[in-house]
Amino acid sequence: MNYFIIDFDSTFIKTESLDELFRISNPTDKDLHEKINKITSDGMEGKLSFSQSLSNRIGILNANKDDIKKTINEIRDNITDSFKSNKDFFKKNKEYIFIVSSGFHEIIDPIVLNYHIPKKNIYANNFFFDENRKIIGFDKKNPLSKTKGKVEIIKNLKLNGTIHVLGDGYTDFEIKKDGYADYFYLFIENIKRESLTKNADFLVKSFDHFKNIVK
Ligand SMILES: [Mg+2]
């Protein structure tokens, strides 16, 4: 049996969904964009853990449910081309496909459910809202809000078969690195992270390319 673990940001879609939410909710705030970049680079340099980085970013985010709706609409127009043309594959293999992301259910689910993936196969973070529909935090108990969250999710799934991970980032590779996947496919249709090419079993330039290797 083949299982497909698929990343969302810069893989299923062309962009990073949390960045889109920031852009849409705070379009003119230059200070904010600088602060975000600083948090991101501190994270990459190892000065901040993943959960601290997420916490700091959500802390300065000023967004509500309407901003989320606008973000979803924007993302609908930015689904990766070769994913759009392979909707049939998703429908046919939906029980074996898992979307695993450090993004948020509130943004990801409406997009992915449209591709017939069952809700139980979508793993992501959750926002917390106040009574005015404003985002005030996220569920810190969710493994995906922490370092190695994706590894933890796949480990707990206890899938019995061949596990294929398709993604553009280090946290996708980490699933294989820690022994919970058989193959890591670096997805380069949207972005090619050179530092990861040496870790990839395959460099995959489209979803069609991925299907051809797997079958
Ligand atoms: Mg990604």
Side-chain angles (χ1 to χ4, degrees):
M1 196 56 69
N2 285 317
Y3 290 97
F4 308 106
I5 313 298
I6 302 177
D7 173 44
F8 187 73
D9 292 320
S10 300
T11 296
F12 198 107
I13 64 168
K14 294 176 183 173
T15 55
E16 296 284 316
S17 53
L18 197 54
D19 289 353
E20 290 300 303
L21 179 60
F22 268 98
R23 203 174 50 75
I24 282 164
S25 53
N26 304 275
T28 55
D29 191 340
K30 284 228 175 75
D31 264 13
L32 186 92
H33 293 273
E34 256 165 49
K35 274 186 208 157
I36 298 289
N37 289 341
K38 170 96 172 74
I39 296 170
T40 306
S41 64
D42 281 356
M44 284 178 182
E45 286 165 27
K47 290 181 196 160
L48 281 178
S49 71
F50 182 74
S51 48
Q52 285 169 322
S53 156
L54 192 59
S55 218
N56 291 359
R57 278 178 290 163
I58 300 304
I60 55 174
L61 175 67
N62 182 15
N64 60 29
K65 287 188 176 173
D66 293 330
D67 297 311
I68 291 179
K69 256 190 212 157
K70 282 184 216 159
T71 304
I72 293 164
N73 284 335
E74 180 99 9
I75 288 177
R76 277 215 173 93
D77 294 332
N78 279 299
I79 293 171
T80 300
D81 296 332
S82 70
F83 275 67
K84 259 194 282 184
S85 56
N86 275 295
K87 227 172 172 175
D88 281 356
F89 180 91
F90 285 89
K91 194 173 183 180
K92 224 168 108 189
N93 296 286
K94 60 184 181 203
E95 294 300 328
Y96 307 100
I97 295 172
F98 294 81
I99 305 296
V100 182
S101 171
S102 307
F104 285 83
H105 274 295
E106 289 81 0
I107 298 173
I108 296 171
D109 293 9
I111 306 282
V112 169
L113 289 172
N114 207 16
Y115 278 66
H116 311 281
I117 308 293
K119 170 93 176 122
K120 65 173 174 54
N121 287 11
I122 308 173
Y123 289 86
N125 281 305
N126 281 102
F127 284 127
F128 287 154
F129 299 91
D130 69 8
E131 66 280 9
N132 297 318
R133 307 163 72 246
K134 185 181 177 315
I135 296 171
I136 48 164
F138 60 92
D139 181 5
K140 292 185 176 164
K141 290 202 290 279
N142 189 321
L144 288 165
S145 70
K146 300 173 196 165
T147 309
K148 291 209 181 194
K150 290 191 180 189
V151 176
E152 192 65 20
I153 297 292
I154 306 309
K155 181 177 159 186
N156 293 337
L157 278 173
K158 296 190 167 65
L159 300 171
N160 196 1
T162 307
I163 301 178
H164 306 268
V165 177
L166 177 66
D168 65 285
Y170 185 80
T171 59
D172 305 307
F173 162 63
E174 218 166 28
I175 303 168
K176 188 203 162 190
K177 184 174 171 264
D178 283 15
Y180 296 98
D182 298 283
Y183 301 102
F184 168 59
Y185 303 75
L186 183 65
F187 191 69
I188 58 170
E189 182 169 340
N190 299 313
I191 184 164
K192 185 178 179 185
R193 301 188 203 278
E194 294 293 345
S195 62
L196 284 175
T197 56
K198 63 177 186 304
N199 299 318
D201 295 295
F202 302 93
L203 294 192
V204 168
K205 59 182 192 299
S206 68
F207 199 80
D208 299 277
H209 187 189
F210 175 65
K211 274 193 328 190
N212 278 331
I213 300 169
V214 168
K215 79 175 179 202

